[in-house]
Amino acid sequence: MNLLKTTLSLAFICITIFSFSQNTTTNESKFALGFSTGYNRGLGFQANFTSLNPIESLPVHLRVGIGYTSLDPGSSADARRIFINNATNGVPEEKGKAFDYRLDFMWKTSLLNLEESYIVFGPRYSSFRANFKYVGGNEDFDVTSKQFGFGIGAETHFKISERLNLVALAGLDYFFNNTLKGHDTSYSPDNDNVNPRNDNQNNDEEFTFSDANEAIKQPNLMPRIMLGVVYKL
């Protein structure tokens, strides 16, 4: 419900800004709104807001964005063993999602010999959640992580009208490994783990972060190929 309220509020703000921009008498746009969708290690969507040439002496735009991606969460069987117990009953159902938050520096370039192209780079932050449910097995739990990262890419804008552009982009985001938390257990990259489970297939040795990270596909390398539109306000 909170997500729905936030989405409706953002939509209202965007419509208000759009309506205002239609009536403005200024020809030079200072801001832009964008939306894109495509592949981001899964089906992804992104909305963003851009400040156009905030520093007049530099050919750089500054953009903030938020994205949502539906991801492969990992192995349901291994997730259960590593975070809960060694039971095998129930029919597994799994799903994963990530919200990413990004700050982009868009450096205008003539590298692609196109009218409006950019090299894009900047910091990233991801909030990831994998859900594993075992129908008939009385287990339903989440594994979560929060990660910082960095991204780089290239994009080209094709003019549709005076204010509307079609955007094609490709890039790669990298997120640093971070603690995976699920049920009452967590595994950290330095193996300062909380309540780790024992591996009954390996002499009951405790699972490590490496085991958890292999089982749960938290964001790491995230290739992006997307199409979208940008409206200059």
Side-chain angles (χ1 to χ4, degrees), residues 18-230:
F18 179 87
S19 300
F20 173 79
S21 66
Q22 290 288 76
N23 296 323
T24 186
T25 57
T26 265
N27 290 325
E28 185 178 358
S29 299
K30 295 296 184 183
F31 303 100
L33 290 174
F35 178 82
S36 58
T37 185
Y39 177 75
N40 188 29
R41 214 201 82 186
L43 178 60
F45 304 90
Q46 181 186 336
N48 55 65
F49 178 80
T50 306
S51 176
L52 304 173
N53 291 120
I55 304 173
E56 292 185 2
S57 60
L58 293 176
V60 176
H61 302 328
L62 189 62
R63 180 171 67 191
V64 292
I66 179 172
Y68 171 85
T69 304
S70 176
L71 297 172
D72 173 9
S75 169
S76 57
D78 289 341
R80 191 183 209 178
R81 293 176 59 234
I82 293 169
F83 285 90
I84 297 186
N85 54 45
N86 293 306
T88 58
N89 61 320
V91 178
E93 295 181 355
E94 57 189 45
K95 56 186 176 182
K97 62 182 179 181
F99 287 94
D100 64 84
Y101 308 87
R102 58 189 60 237
L103 172 63
D104 284 326
F105 297 92
M106 303 174 62
W107 192 281
K108 195 165 187 178
T109 177
S110 58
L111 185 63
L112 301 177
N113 290 324
L114 295 170
E115 182 177 348
E116 190 175 350
S117 295
Y118 301 92
I119 299 297
V120 179
F121 57 93
R124 309 285 186 256
Y125 181 76
S126 170
S127 177
F128 168 76
R129 181 178 299 273
N131 176 258
F132 300 95
K133 183 177 181 180
Y134 304 83
V135 180
N138 196 32
E139 297 285 4
D140 186 348
F141 69 100
D142 292 334
V143 178
T144 63
S145 71
K146 298 184 184 300
Q147 303 162 265
F148 286 98
F150 184 85
I152 189 168
E155 64 183 66
T156 298
H157 295 212
F158 302 94
K159 188 173 182 179
I160 297 176
S161 67
E162 187 63 30
R163 293 188 178 272
L164 187 65
N165 285 358
L166 175 70
V167 179
L169 63 94
L172 182 67
D173 294 337
Y174 175 79
F175 292 94
F176 301 99
N177 287 333
N178 203 1
T179 301
L180 287 162
K181 299 179 180 180
H183 204 250
D184 59 350
T185 298
S186 68
Y187 296 91
S188 298
D190 61 359
N191 276 316
D192 184 15
N193 304 323
V194 176
N195 198 24
R197 300 302 196 246
N198 294 327
D199 184 357
N200 69 335
Q201 299 177 10
N202 189 26
N203 298 320
D204 281 336
E205 291 187 7
E206 288 185 348
F207 286 110
T208 65
F209 173 79
S210 178
D211 299 317
N213 196 48
E214 185 175 348
I216 307 300
K217 296 187 180 301
Q218 68 173 323
N220 184 239
L221 288 175
M222 301 283 285
R224 305 171 66 239
I225 302 175
M226 291 187 166
L227 288 175
V229 292
V230 169

